[in-house]
Amino acid sequence: MARVPGDKSISHRAILLAAMARGRSRIERVLVAGVTQPMLDALPRLGATVHLEGETLTVESPGFRAWRAPEGPIDCRHSATTMRLLAGALAAAGVPAVLDGSPGLRRRPMRRVVAPLQAMGVPIQDTDGHAPLYLQARDPRRPLRGGRFSLPVASAQVKSAILLAGLAAADPVEVLEPGPSRDHTERMLRSLGVNLEGLGPGHVRMTPPKQDLPPLHLRVPGDISSAAFLIVAAVITPGSEVTIEHVGLNPTRTGLLDALRAMGARIEVELTGEEAGEPVGRIRVQHSPNLQGTTVEGDLVVRMIDEFPVFAVAAAYAQGVTVVRDATELRHKESDRIARLVEALQRLGVDAEERPDGFLVRGGAGVEGGRVHAHGDHRLAMALAVAGLNATGPVEVLGGEMYRESFPAFPQTLQALGARITEALR
Ligand code: S3P
């Protein structure tokens, strides 16, 4: 039996919407980790009062229309979600602000969020398509423009920034995407009474509310993207049988389960209820000795966009070829997750090959030991640690402490399941 921390995406939205709402919000099982810390740190600087006790967060806010301008830049550190979602929220508030981050975050694409916000009338500039982002003050009597935004790449962060800015728009906001990106923002806004309709796959329309957003009261489901490491660990490790409780099962996030099942993995899912407008349940996984290679492409890529590093580890144990295509977006994550992943797998003796829009693994031989780098990428760090579970020699992950970004109890959780994993003291 295992538990995973609160969902990163839902936590980010809950923290931010609690500050955008007016009144006292309470969020349980919020993810307190490296990625959410910059979002939590930003709130008091905007005028909200934040109280965190364990994993329970209370936020008292005057609502985004009464936010004050933060003094000095907001440091989003490594978190693109913080930067992109805050850009949308600050645009709605109309306060001047500077959003900056780590050197890694400064390398990630920001024009994709700045361009639609500018089209809505937001006075925002990027720096050659990157952070820092500069927002100027906007006259609060002049609402933003709504309209229809067609995203060239499916991105929940960009969609969310547009919807959050749209809360201060004069007319409806429509977002169209080429694939089914995660819809947590839509679900949470709906639960707050905002009129949001789905007009078809990847097509949503929001009518901006006239009133303030009411406070939130919710419990964050466990993160399926963190559960992913335990799922693959169980799939590849002889004798395993692992049950993970209270995991978010939003269909825009469960692509990994479909891909692993297509490989022949023994996974059972049981829906147990709903939290925060999100389906939650239990996932039971057993060692799966007869994995076969598979192809992952199209919408399935979007539904498992954060899971490719650990999926590739499963592919190393699957007979035959596993192909990932339509996944160029992986090059714009915390690291270039095509190049860095393939490089690490090769170092561990896996027959892997980089493709412009994905990668290929000729599996079946498993993993050898070796020394690899996390490249500042939490999901690469954890996936490579999982790769070590059944390797023929020890696997050493340099920079492996990045797990603290999204899954602070990762080593302890694996140890409790029987893994031998140690963290070198530095
Ligand atoms: C996220 C959306 C995805 C995902 C990221 C979190 C979110 O990014 O990779 O980890 O919370 O909206 P994109 O929106 O860039 O696809």
Side-chain angles (χ1 to χ4, degrees), residues 350-426:
V350 178
D351 186 351
E353 202 178 297
E354 185 174 340
R355 292 281 167 88
D357 70 337
F359 59 89
L360 186 150
V361 174
R362 289 182 199 87
V367 175
E368 294 168 13
R371 175 186 270 192
V372 283
H373 289 261
H375 291 286
D377 183 337
H378 55 127
R379 301 209 191 277
L380 201 52
M382 289 185 275
L384 295 172
V386 169
L389 290 177
N390 284 302
T392 49
V395 170
E396 190 181 349
V397 186
L398 300 177
E401 70 279 358
M402 287 306 289
Y403 70 81
R404 294 179 198 148
E405 285 292 297
S406 61
F407 193 167
F410 173 72
Q412 293 80 356
T413 307
L414 274 186
Q415 279 161 0
L417 294 172
R420 277 186 295 152
I421 173 168
T422 51
E423 189 165 355
L425 293 176
R426 296 181 306 147

Side-chain angles (χ1 to χ4, degrees), residues 8-9 13 81 84 154-157 182 305-306 329 333:
K8 156 169 115 72
S9 293
R13 286 153 175 80
T81 314
R84 295 187 179 128
S155 165
Q157 294 176 357
R182 59 196 68 189
I305 192 69
D306 289 340
E329 195 52 20
K333 296 297 175 187

Side-chain angles (χ1 to χ4, degrees), residues 289-303:
N290 299 315
L291 297 181
Q292 301 293 326
T294 188
T295 297
V296 176
E297 59 193 347
D299 284 359
L300 182 55
V301 171
V302 184
R303 294 179 50 244

Side-chain angles (χ1 to χ4, degrees), residues 59-402:
V59 177
E60 179 98 43
S61 176
F64 70 90
R65 290 192 173 87
W67 277 4
R68 59 167 185 252
E71 263 176 51
I74 292 180
D75 184 359
C76 304
R77 299 198 215 160
H78 307 305
S79 173
T81 314
T82 300
M83 183 167 283
R84 295 187 179 128
L85 266 57
L86 257 182
L90 286 161
V95 295
V98 179
L99 294 171
D100 204 353
S102 66
L105 185 55
R106 278 185 171 200
R107 282 193 289 273
R108 298 182 64 184
M110 290 298 151
R111 185 66 50 85
R112 52 177 66 187
V113 67
V114 167
L117 291 178
Q118 286 173 336
M120 296 174 86
V122 178
I124 182 170
Q125 300 293 334
D126 56 36
T127 308
D128 289 329
H130 298 270
L133 308 183
Y134 299 92
L135 279 124
Q136 255 114 58
R138 175 173 58 84
D139 180 349
R141 285 161 304 186
R142 296 193 46 199
L144 296 175
R145 287 189 289 276
R148 181 187 251 242
F149 300 91
S150 231
L151 310 188
V153 178
S155 165
Q157 294 176 357
V158 175
K159 171 178 63 180
S160 300
I162 296 170
L163 293 174
L164 294 177
L167 292 171
D171 22 51
V173 177
E174 264 181 57
V175 185
L176 274 132
E177 290 184 284
S181 77
R182 59 196 68 189
D183 62 354
H184 307 302
T185 304
E186 295 93 305
R187 287 172 187 254
M188 214 175 282
L189 284 173
R190 260 190 217 115
S191 76
L192 297 177
V194 177
N195 181 343
L196 251 147
E197 11 166 18
L199 300 180
H203 190 178
V204 66
R205 178 168 59 200
M206 179 182 79
T207 307
K210 300 262 181 293
Q211 323 78 342
D212 288 323
L213 293 174
L216 287 76
H217 298 276
L218 60 87
R219 187 146 74 119
V220 178
D223 197 327
I224 191 162
S225 295
S226 296
F229 301 103
L230 310 183
I231 293 169
V232 171
V235 162
I236 65 169
T237 307
S240 298
E241 191 175 324
V242 173
T243 303
I244 313 161
E245 298 284 354
H246 201 80
V247 186
L249 293 171
N250 181 318
T252 60
R253 297 285 300 281
T254 50
L256 176 74
L257 303 180
D258 297 344
L260 290 175
R261 280 200 186 111
M263 282 179 153
R266 295 154 75 188
I267 300 178
E268 286 163 39
V269 174
E270 192 188 332
L271 273 172
T272 54
E274 221 185 82
E275 299 271 6
E278 302 273 348
V280 294
R282 176 178 299 137
I283 301 177
R284 187 163 163 269
V285 194
Q286 287 173 280
H287 173 232
S288 312
N290 299 315
L291 297 181
Q292 301 293 326
T294 188
T295 297
V296 176
E297 59 193 347
D299 284 359
L300 182 55
V301 171
V302 184
R303 294 179 50 244
M304 57 182 283
I305 192 69
D306 289 340
E307 277 61 83
F308 285 97
V310 80
F311 173 69
V313 174
Y317 287 86
Q319 292 295 333
V321 184
T322 292
V323 181
V324 173
R325 57 169 78 104
D326 304 330
T328 312
E329 195 52 20
L330 293 179
R331 297 196 183 274
H332 307 296
K333 296 297 175 187
E334 283 83 337
S335 69
D336 176 338
R337 280 194 187 150
I338 297 178
R340 300 285 86 82
L341 174 64
V342 168
E343 177 186 289
L345 290 174
Q346 288 171 346
R347 282 198 187 181
L348 296 178
V350 178
D351 186 351
E353 202 178 297
E354 185 174 340
R355 292 281 167 88
D357 70 337
F359 59 89
L360 186 150
V361 174
R362 289 182 199 87
V367 175
E368 294 168 13
R371 175 186 270 192
V372 283
H373 289 261
H375 291 286
D377 183 337
H378 55 127
R379 301 209 191 277
L380 201 52
M382 289 185 275
L384 295 172
V386 169
L389 290 177
N390 284 302
T392 49
V395 170
E396 190 181 349
V397 186
L398 300 177
E401 70 279 358
M402 287 306 289

